[in-house]
């Protein structure tokens, strides 16, 4: 006969595995926050090198993309391109290429490195001794 309430505990779960899962989730969130703050700081330094007074915008998720578009001399409506699958790859490529040119990195290799290894080369631009000059970026 079936009963409505089962009193026997599930054999595979215990409180230790639940605590471990919670700890893993909290640890992962903490590591993600550290990476976000580091990347934001690197973008903050890039925005400062570009002469932006609102360099704090590097820490605001959507606004930082708008400021980056202004730095590389692309219209703000390009933000919409970042929301379209596959088109966003092209938009990102153009933005990174123009950002590299602003830092006097004319070779396509540097654009490739930023595109695929941005977690290394964005900090190199932001924390390195390279200077930004908006005259190096062509006007469209």
């Amino acid at each position: 006969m079936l009963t409505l309430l089962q009193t026997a505990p599930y054999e595979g779960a215990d409180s230790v595995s639940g605590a471990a899962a919670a700890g893993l989730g909290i640890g992962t969130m903490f590591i993600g926050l550290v990476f976000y703050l580091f990347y934001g700081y690197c973008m903050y330094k890039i925005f400062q090198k570009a002469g932006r007074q609102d360099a704090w915008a590097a820490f605001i998720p959507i606004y930082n993309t708008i400021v980056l578009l202004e730095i590389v001399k692309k219209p703000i409506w390009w933000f919409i391109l970042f929301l379209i699958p596959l088109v966003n790859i092209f938009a990102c490529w153009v933005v990174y290429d123009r950002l590299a040119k602003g830092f006097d990195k004319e070779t396509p290799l540097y654009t490739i490195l930023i595109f695929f290894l941005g977690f290394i080369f964005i900090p190199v631009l932001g924390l390195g001794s390279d200077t930004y000059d908006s005259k190096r970026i062509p006007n469209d």
Side-chain angles (χ1 to χ4, degrees):
M1 175 173 207
L2 289 171
T3 61
L4 292 176
L5 298 174
Q6 282 273 350
T7 56
Y10 177 68
E11 296 293 325
D14 58 6
S15 61
V16 174
S17 64
L24 183 63
I26 291 171
T28 303
M29 284 185 355
F30 178 74
I31 291 171
L33 179 64
V34 168
F35 280 118
Y36 177 77
L37 290 175
F38 177 69
Y39 183 79
Y41 179 72
C42 294
M43 291 303 290
Y44 173 82
K45 297 303 278 183
I46 288 173
F47 289 3
Q48 279 186 331
K49 288 180 178 184
R52 295 295 301 217
Q53 298 299 318
D54 57 349
W56 51 266
F59 297 99
I60 315 266
I62 294 172
Y63 187 54
N64 63 5
T65 305
I66 293 170
V67 171
L68 184 61
L69 286 171
E70 291 174 356
I71 288 172
V72 298
K73 298 180 182 177
K74 282 296 180 187
I76 295 174
W77 65 263
W78 263 53
F79 180 78
I80 297 169
L81 298 179
F82 286 101
L83 303 175
I84 303 171
L86 299 178
V87 175
N88 60 358
I89 296 171
F90 169 75
C92 190
W93 180 271
V94 171
V95 168
Y96 283 158
D97 183 55
R98 294 170 75 89
L99 184 65
K101 287 179 181 172
F103 280 96
D104 202 23
K105 310 288 186 192
E106 291 290 330
T107 63
L109 175 64
Y110 206 84
T111 302
I112 293 168
L113 292 173
I114 292 176
F115 189 78
F116 289 107
L117 300 172
F119 60 91
I120 295 172
F121 288 94
I122 292 293
V124 167
L125 289 180
L127 304 176
S129 61
D130 297 318
T131 58
Y132 178 84
D133 186 7
S134 65
K135 295 176 188 146
R136 296 179 189 135
I137 299 174
N139 288 326
D140 288 337

